[in-house]
Amino acid sequence: MKNIRKLAMSAALGATALAPVAVHAQTTAPSTYVNAPLAKPVAVAQPRNGHCGIFQTCATTKIGLGKGDFMIRLSAVGVLPEDRDSRVWANGAPLAGTRIKTTNQVMPELTFEYFLTDNISLDLIATSTRHEVAAEGGAVGGKLDVGSAWVLPPTVTVAWHFRPHKRLNPYVGVGGTFMWFHNMNAANNGLTSKLNSGFTGGPSINAGVDYQLVGNWFFNFDVKQMFVRMHAWAENSNESVHVTAHDSLDPTVVSAGIAYRF
């Protein structure tokens, strides 16, 4: 009986001694598992003073193109005359096998475009290119320099845009081209001293794509096919020889440039 009381007393004293350790373990151990506070979502960076820079894409920047947008585009344009179906007459007699050849040219081009709806835009191109004109084959033999002329071909196009309000927006269009020939100079070849051409025009079709680079800046690539027939005439110094030429210029016009939306 005495031994039992001693054993019970020893167990009680041992439990009393271990209790602070257990309590300490229970109060300190959970502290290693305390969850860290959740991080707040990172806010979109805002321009200083609430102003979006001209070369910035901000939260307020409209993506893609749509109704009411107005753009001015500066491009490098290549004008590539096709010279289809050329015919030449001298003093009213046809020169069999003789045709007109017009050189290619690269110049800057300015385009103004306004979006009537999200899908439909109206644009006007303005440029002027200088071309050398020659006659070749048939009665002239190899190649005879005729002269040079500047061409002003304002073109109005109505285009349908497939992906309004998207960064990449392809389109197709139809329009009309009007051509004025100015500053025409006859070649000093002893055969022609005067060179002239009438006003002309014709339909055009085109296809292209706009891509939004940053902010309101866009890259544009465009290909136009124009269907235009030229009527020109030349004379020698004493007007004894009168040459008339009809030429389907039908130029292919390729342009690439940068546009800004207002």
Side-chain angles (χ1 to χ4, degrees), residues 47-93:
R48 293 182 178 180
N49 302 323
H51 177 70
C52 186
I54 191 172
F55 295 109
Q56 287 183 310
T57 300
C58 304
T60 56
T61 302
K62 185 166 66 172
I63 301 302
L65 295 163
K67 183 178 179 180
D69 285 340
F70 174 70
M71 291 205 305
I72 295 179
R73 181 164 64 243
L74 181 63
S75 307
V77 59
V79 180
L80 318 173
E82 300 294 339
D83 295 315
R84 298 189 183 98
D85 189 27
S86 294
R87 299 180 184 180
V88 182
W89 295 262
N91 293 335

Side-chain angles (χ1 to χ4, degrees), residues 70-231:
F70 174 70
M71 291 205 305
I72 295 179
R73 181 164 64 243
L74 181 63
S75 307
V77 59
V79 180
L80 318 173
E82 300 294 339
D83 295 315
R84 298 189 183 98
D85 189 27
S86 294
R87 299 180 184 180
V88 182
W89 295 262
N91 293 335
L95 299 180
T98 303
R99 65 191 309 271
I100 298 297
K101 186 66 177 178
T102 310
T103 58
N104 302 332
Q105 185 61 275
V106 177
M107 293 290 284
E109 174 190 79
L110 196 61
T111 303
F112 304 93
E113 184 172 16
Y114 180 74
F115 279 74
L116 303 173
T117 70
D118 283 345
N119 296 97
I120 300 174
S121 72
L122 183 68
D123 74 57
L124 169 68
I125 67 170
T127 187
S128 189
T129 56
R130 181 181 181 275
H131 301 268
E132 300 287 338
V133 182
E136 59 183 24
V140 301
K143 183 176 181 180
L144 177 65
D145 185 18
V146 175
S148 65
W150 283 85
V151 182
L152 179 65
T155 301
V156 178
T157 302
V158 177
W160 175 269
H161 299 258
F162 293 95
R163 304 180 74 235
H165 306 301
K166 302 292 183 182
R167 287 189 179 275
L168 185 69
N169 191 0
Y171 60 84
V172 294
V174 295
T177 299
F178 310 92
M179 279 193 176
W180 283 273
F181 297 88
H182 60 99
N183 291 340
M184 302 187 73
N185 296 303
N188 187 18
N189 56 17
L191 295 177
T192 57
S193 61
K194 299 178 182 178
L195 183 63
N196 209 337
S197 180
F199 165 77
T200 187
S204 65
I205 57 175
N206 75 313
V209 62
D210 288 304
Y211 179 74
Q212 190 170 10
L213 297 171
V214 62
N216 290 311
W217 293 95
F218 291 78
F219 170 78
N220 174 267
F221 180 78
D222 184 274
V223 178
K224 287 183 174 66
Q225 181 61 57
M226 301 175 178
F227 303 94
V228 179
R229 190 171 182 84
M230 177 184 71
H231 305 276

Side-chain angles (χ1 to χ4, degrees), residues 41-47 57-59:
V42 179
V44 177
Q46 296 295 327
T57 300
C58 304

